[in-house]
Amino acid sequence: MPMSFSILADVFEKLERTTSRTQMILYLVELFKKTPPDVIDKVVYLLQGKLWPDWKGLPELGVGEKMLIKAASIALHVPESTIEALAKRLGDIGRAIEKIKAEKARGRPVGLLAFMKTSAGAGGLTVERVYETLARIAMATGEGSRDIKLKLLAGLLAEASPKEAKYIARFVEGRLRLGVGDATIMEALAVVYGGSAAKKSIVERAYNLRADLGMIAKILATQGIDALKNIEPEVGIPIRPMLAERHNDPVEMLKKVGGRALVEYKYDGERAQIHYKDGRVWIYSRRLENITHMYPDVVEMVKEKLKAREAIVEGEIVAINPETGELRPFQELMHRRRKKDILQAMKEYPVAVFLFDMLYHDGEDLTVKPLPVRRKHLLESVEKTDRWRIAEGIITDSPEVLEKFFLKAIEDGAEGVMVKAIHERSIYQAGARGWLWIKYKRDYKSEMIDTVDLVVIGAFYGKGRRAGKFGALLMAAYDPDTDTFKSVCKVGSGFTDEELDRLNEILKPYIRRTKPPRVDSQLKPDVWVEPALVAEIIGAELTLSPIHTCCYGWAKPGVGISIRFPRFIRWRPDKGPEDATTTKELFEMYKRQLKKVKEA
Ligand code: ATP
């Protein structure tokens, strides 16, 4: 049964107007109840502001501001300059289109009533038609594609009601800004198809094993919640990665993992989840982007040296000096992301792969198996070479041995070690950060605290030499419980002149005039920034702060946690905003720091 797009546009509007998560869930529940099972996947993708999961590596819409205005001009029969001027005044092309459309509809003579009916969205556009058209726009590539895109978009905007046109325009621009995260969508799905929010964990587990929320929603809607309980990984669909907690005391770390541990080098490179089936290779990054094209050399290694029919393995891709085998810094690897000529980059920045896990092997789901079993499968399936290796590791229950191994790891160019549980319950916790894996990094050894990864939520203009340009950023931690970004500090040092000069360009697509949804900050920056960019920050110590909202009231009433003398270290383009350091992690760091000070 077709679903009217106006239902979706109405929900978009309601979502946009609330900041209450409970209310958002109610709206989504209402929406999903009205959604026929055969389009639920499309509805979920559109809510996520995308047409398909990013990892599919399918083309993006490829419609710029100019083309959007041109399409609207054709659809609305008004000059481009009129739309441009209004969009400038309203700060939003979507609203400009909506306004012009609404005025035009009002001004129409009565004889055109039939046209007005459809243009008011009374059953005109369907979700299917909007989705299919947007997909065709994205898929149009190569010669003549501009005209095809333009025609399709103009047609869509002409058919849409004013409100529908507004959201189509915003979607196309990548500015839907509904403020709903995956967690919120999953909770609503659990309510509708599982009967209660308590079933969210089943939905989450399935999503962790197959990172495609549209597909998960479709299975739920067509086969029911029981079908999700038995879901297994599928080669080609990325698994959300297992993550580690952090600590810096070997005695405590060993206690946390149950006494004995596999202690492995923590390589400083790029995490790679490698899928293999019948001669085909997919490589996914930590953020589940398809990065296969960046590593043709790794693809060859997999084809030649992975002894399995089908498999999912994980490892770290590290830049190396091919002459000495020495590990090279992470930054060198990032050249591969920037270089257009991959074959050239491959020569200039050779890599090695250090494998550390196996999640799927010839039809067997290994995520539910303890680490020693997974490792056995890994060792059996890997034919080692200089560039295709198993992560360096030892098994120990001795804090002294652990500490020594840590120092050796550092000496060898690793970032520290991973301390991993090897008991019976040491399963692969997809998508979760837990104490089965603990990272022990070199930074703990310095006088400073460990680095944290924070999200930009605002920016301040500089003074003096930097007047008129951005000089500092407002940074936030992620709070998964409320799905919000809470302010931690304002950082203005550590940038090179070049980095400062580039700030404007980097921030531009994300600058907002009003506080974006999901941002929680009392401090008001000169401009707000949509949470998207992650930076690594270090400071002298964690302090209590009456200004910042991170961990507000947790340590003491009326104060949050902040960083003293924060310094920018580098951008983390490999991390999404939800991968930033969480408020809970910061609080744990604060407590450990307090303990250390007391002991001293
Ligand atoms: P960080 O910010 O410290 O790089 P992260 O937030 O990306 O970490 P964590 O779970 O905190 O992710 O740390 C684990 C990361 O360390 C993995 O994502 C992986 O990229 C890397 N790593 C390097 N060596 C190993 C190893 N032997 N086992 C597991 N992960 C490893």
Side-chain angles (χ1 to χ4, degrees):
M1 207 186 50
M3 176 179 183
S4 167
F5 185 64
S6 64
I7 298 178
L8 203 54
D10 287 341
V11 174
F12 283 174
E13 187 170 55
K14 287 188 197 163
L15 288 170
E16 195 182 26
R17 288 188 179 157
T18 182
T19 50
S20 150
R21 193 156 173 266
T22 323
Q23 193 58 52
M24 284 181 185
I25 291 170
L26 289 177
Y27 291 144
L28 290 178
V29 165
E30 222 178 279
L31 170 68
F32 294 153
K33 281 189 178 156
K34 287 187 205 152
T35 305
D38 57 327
V39 284
I40 184 93
D41 48 346
K42 301 186 170 86
V43 167
V44 167
Y45 296 138
L46 293 174
L47 280 167
Q48 288 180 312
K50 48 180 84 166
L51 288 172
W52 32 64
D54 303 332
W55 54 260
K56 291 212 165 160
L58 293 171
E60 294 185 9
L61 276 156
V63 176
E65 210 175 280
K66 268 215 172 97
M67 193 193 284
L68 174 58
I69 289 177
K70 193 158 192 186
S73 147
I74 298 169
L76 274 54
H77 306 291
V78 290
E80 288 174 42
S81 55
T82 310
I83 304 172
E84 246 161 11
L86 188 59
K88 204 163 189 191
R89 191 150 64 75
L90 299 173
D92 177 3
I93 305 176
R95 269 187 60 207
I97 295 174
E98 179 185 34
K99 221 165 165 218
I100 298 173
K101 245 197 135 145
E103 271 162 19
K104 284 220 145 194
R106 265 200 298 277
R108 276 190 189 274
V110 184
L112 288 178
L113 199 70
F115 170 81
M116 279 180 65
K117 240 182 161 177
T118 31
S119 85
L125 271 184
T126 61
V127 171
E128 291 88 336
R129 170 137 163 72
V130 173
Y131 183 91
E132 298 306 341
T133 311
L134 291 172
R136 279 173 63 199
I137 293 175
M139 290 299 187
T141 50
E143 211 179 311
S145 63
R146 244 193 88 81
D147 286 346
I148 299 174
K149 284 179 196 281
L150 190 64
K151 235 183 240 164
L152 288 169
L153 184 57
L156 204 53
L157 290 173
E159 259 185 77
S161 73
K163 195 196 288 181
E164 290 170 345
K166 171 173 75 181
Y167 288 108
I168 290 170
R170 285 199 185 152
F171 185 92
V172 165
E173 264 195 295
R175 284 176 163 232
L176 209 46
R177 282 181 273 154
L178 300 177
V180 285
D182 289 349
T184 309
I185 297 176
M186 282 193 273
E187 192 155 337
L189 286 172
V191 172
V192 175
Y193 299 107
S196 87
K199 297 281 164 61
K200 187 179 159 198
S201 59
I202 299 172
V203 183
E204 259 170 2
R205 182 180 166 275
Y207 183 43
N208 287 335
L209 289 182
R210 293 192 192 178
D212 182 340
L213 203 49
M215 174 205 265
I216 297 297
K218 188 125 189 199
I219 295 176
L220 260 176
T222 54
Q223 301 171 45
I225 190 116
D226 284 338
L228 279 197
K229 285 185 193 155
N230 306 318
I231 217 163
E232 290 193 347
E234 191 175 310
V235 175
I237 304 178
I239 298 175
R240 302 182 72 212
M242 173 168 179
L243 301 172
E245 286 285 353
R246 54 174 92 207
H247 211 291
N248 58 356
D249 177 349
V251 177
E252 285 299 314
M253 280 188 273
L254 285 171
K255 255 193 218 155
K256 291 242 183 224
V257 295
R260 274 166 80 74
L262 168 67
V263 184
E264 279 176 349
Y265 275 21
K266 185 180 191 301
Y267 297 93
D268 194 10
E270 167 152 43
R271 185 173 188 153
Q273 190 178 94
I274 302 170
H275 293 230
Y276 175 80
K277 188 176 183 173
D278 301 330
R280 231 191 119 180
V281 179
W282 300 255
I283 307 176
Y284 296 113
S285 73
R286 183 187 183 288
R287 292 183 67 181
L288 310 186
E289 299 143 318
N290 190 327
I291 50 170
T292 317
H293 63 282
M294 281 164 43
Y295 297 107
D297 39 358
V298 177
V299 170
E300 281 313 304
M301 295 178 206
V302 177
K303 283 185 182 164
E304 282 172 22
K305 304 293 177 189
L306 186 64
K307 300 294 158 208
R309 229 179 342 99
E310 16 170 11
I312 304 174
V313 293
E314 270 194 339
E316 191 87 351
I317 299 179
V318 190
I320 53 151
N321 178 336
E323 271 96 54
T324 60
E326 276 171 322
L327 305 178
R328 306 288 306 147
F330 167 80
Q331 281 79 356
E332 286 205 4
L333 197 64
M334 286 295 117
H335 289 296
R336 285 224 184 177
R337 276 191 184 252
R338 280 181 225 117
K339 280 259 174 172
K340 290 239 160 58
D341 183 354
I342 284 297
L343 294 178
Q344 181 60 25
M346 207 170 91
K347 272 196 214 126
E348 278 176 51
Y349 306 101
V351 298
V353 186
F354 294 90
L355 296 156
F356 54 75
D357 220 316
M358 186 154 198
L359 316 184
Y360 191 76
H361 187 196
D362 290 347
E364 192 179 353
D365 174 9
L366 298 178
T367 63
V368 291
K369 298 280 159 66
L371 179 56
V373 176
R374 304 203 302 274
R375 214 176 139 77
K376 192 164 167 278
H377 279 268
L378 180 68
L379 291 171
E380 282 167 7
S381 333
V382 170
E383 204 180 304
K384 288 177 250 173
T385 70
D386 282 355
R387 311 271 290 268
W388 175 250
R389 304 161 62 164
I390 303 284
E392 204 74 41
I394 54 163
I395 289 176
T396 185
D397 57 4
S398 150
E400 292 77 30
V401 173
L402 196 164
E403 182 69 18
K404 259 197 187 154
F405 192 69
F406 169 78
L407 294 174
K408 182 167 171 284
I410 301 279
E411 216 178 289
D412 284 348
E415 221 188 342
V417 292
M418 299 289 293
V419 179
K420 297 182 176 178
I422 47 174
H423 51 61
E424 278 173 7
R425 298 173 317 284
S426 59
I427 57 163
Y428 186 91
Q429 286 179 319
R433 193 183 289 283
W435 290 102
L436 290 179
W437 284 9
I438 306 174
K439 54 180 166 181
Y440 177 21
K441 290 212 276 187
R442 115 186 259 177
D443 305 343
Y444 303 118
K445 287 276 146 187
S446 74
E447 282 178 30
M448 301 196 174
I449 52 155
D450 179 23
T451 63
V452 287
D453 297 316
L454 300 178
V455 184
V456 183
I457 55 167
F460 299 86
Y461 291 112
K463 296 197 178 74
R465 201 162 61 90
R466 299 220 57 85
K469 291 183 182 167
F470 291 123
L473 300 175
L474 181 60
M475 307 298 300
Y478 179 55
D479 180 354
D481 289 339
T482 55
D483 196 23
T484 54
F485 297 90
K486 299 194 185 292
S487 81
V488 176
C489 62
K490 181 177 161 180
V491 57
S493 58
F495 299 96
T496 60
D497 279 355
E498 210 185 333
E499 277 160 344
L500 280 174
D501 285 336
R502 283 198 55 218
L503 270 185
N504 206 354
E505 183 194 323
I506 294 173
L507 299 184
K508 202 172 164 211
Y510 307 105
I511 289 178
R512 304 287 178 253
R513 277 205 289 191
T514 53
K515 188 161 75 172
R518 300 208 284 165
V519 164
D520 181 1
S521 168
Q522 293 173 15
L523 188 61
K524 203 173 162 302
D526 292 329
V527 297
W528 293 102
V529 176
E530 187 76 25
L533 303 161
V534 178
E536 190 169 347
I537 304 287
I538 198 162
E541 61 174 328
L542 292 172
T543 53
L544 294 177
S545 151
I547 302 170
H548 290 285
T549 53
C550 173
C551 310
Y552 199 79
W554 293 11
K556 266 187 201 160
V559 290
I561 285 183
S562 181
I563 295 173
R564 192 164 160 246
F565 300 137
R567 257 195 315 123
F568 173 90
I569 296 185
R570 57 175 172 175
W571 291 110
R572 289 292 309 251
D574 55 328
K575 287 201 172 182
E578 279 93 350
D579 301 319
T581 302
T582 62
T583 48
K584 258 194 204 136
E585 285 179 81
L586 269 169
F587 192 56
E588 289 302 323
M589 286 168 79
Y590 175 75
K591 283 198 295 195
R592 278 204 292 278
Q593 181 185 298
L594 218 59
K595 200 168 148 225
K596 246 187 175 169
V597 174
K598 274 188 190 143
E599 281 165 4

